[in-house]
Amino acid sequence: MESHTCDRCFCREHIPTHQLVKFDDRVQFLCSECWEEFRRWFHWGADRRASQKQLELF
């Protein structure tokens, strides 16, 4: 297995192809932790009601 460096936190680990993010023709390698943060932001970050709903659960 080939390891890559995460472009966000510089952690070195094996990064599968589904964890590559492409913005403006530039490919970003994301480690598993940064990938999960990106997914949460992508699905919930733009919706303020979703974040408030999460706060209400606690």
Side-chain angles (χ1 to χ4, degrees), residues 1-43:
M1 275 193 214
E2 183 180 343
S3 66
H4 294 280
T5 302
C6 175
D7 290 325
R8 185 169 180 259
C9 71
F10 306 109
C11 173
R12 285 198 57 80
E13 68 177 45
H14 172 70
I15 299 178
T17 56
H18 73 271
Q19 288 177 206
L20 301 178
V21 179
K22 186 174 182 181
F23 287 113
D24 297 329
D25 294 328
R26 184 169 176 229
V27 175
Q28 303 284 322
F29 289 92
L30 298 177
C31 67
S32 57
E33 186 176 325
C34 290
W35 170 251
E36 288 302 321
E37 288 182 31
F38 170 76
R39 283 185 60 227
R40 279 193 296 274
W41 170 82
F42 185 79
H43 291 290

